[in-house]
Amino acid sequence: MLIRTETPADVPDVRNMTAAAFDRTDTPVPVEVPLLDELRGSAGWLPALSLVAVNPRGGVSGHVVCTRGHVDGSPALGLGPLSVHPKRQRTGVGSALMHAVLGAADALREPLVALLGEPAYYGRFGFHASAEYGITPPDPTWGAYFQVRTLSSYDPSLRGGFAYAEPFDRV
């Protein structure tokens, strides 16, 4: 498996794979698909942090993206969606994507990555409840599910409310 930045040619495969990964019987198109479309056209899109996992036959088996977020007006990152094709789930693709995007974000001197997700899963990547860092989620009901992973450039004075890239508010 190779992890690399997404190219324009990958977009249709990423859309299809994301739809398959988040497929639910109650909705024809999972919300993650239009969210990605909206993010790609937004000021928060960071091409260097949109990564794909490519299988040996050349197909996209996973995708992760971090977009520009803010903590009380200071730059930070919001992670998501992270998606893995159903046939490749539980094979290490998601973990590899997570390690790659965290490494890339750290290399870009970003201070932290925030996400909404299952603490038992994301805790193994160093994420902790945002409240431990004085960072409040966009929705207070998210509680411990809103998590933060600090990176090398993190400064403990970075505290306050977190805001995702604007499409998260619309989609």
Side-chain angles (χ1 to χ4, degrees):
M1 164 178 46
L2 171 69
I3 296 179
R4 60 169 172 75
T5 55
E6 177 189 77
T7 67
D10 294 322
V11 172
D13 289 341
V14 169
R15 279 185 111 258
N16 293 335
M17 187 272 312
T18 301
F22 289 99
D23 185 37
R24 292 182 280 283
T25 57
D26 60 335
T27 180
V29 177
V31 69
E32 292 81 3
V33 174
L35 175 60
L36 272 175
D37 291 341
E38 293 282 331
L39 286 169
R40 281 190 186 93
S42 78
W45 186 253
L46 302 170
L49 296 176
S50 179
L51 307 178
V52 293
V54 181
N55 65 45
R57 293 178 214 78
V60 173
S61 57
H63 175 258
V64 66
V65 64
C66 285
T67 52
R68 176 60 61 217
H70 293 89
V71 174
D72 198 28
S74 295
L77 296 175
L79 188 144
L82 165 65
S83 53
V84 176
H85 192 281
K87 292 181 180 177
R88 297 296 311 269
Q89 291 175 359
R90 289 175 284 287
T91 66
V93 173
S95 292
L97 283 164
M98 187 60 106
H99 287 297
V101 80
L102 290 173
D106 195 52
L108 292 170
R109 311 281 305 145
E110 295 289 344
L112 63 83
V113 177
L115 61 76
L116 177 63
E118 176 56 50
Y121 179 79
Y122 290 103
R124 64 184 166 155
F125 301 107
F127 283 86
H128 297 277
S130 67
E132 293 180 28
Y133 300 98
I135 297 171
T136 56
D139 182 334
T141 64
W142 293 350
Y145 290 90
F146 187 70
Q147 301 164 72
V148 166
R149 168 65 154 83
T150 61
L151 302 172
S152 299
S153 296
Y154 172 71
D155 178 342
S157 68
L158 184 61
R159 304 170 72 79
F162 183 85
Y164 279 103
E166 189 269 334
F168 280 92
D169 295 334
R170 279 198 323 267
V171 178

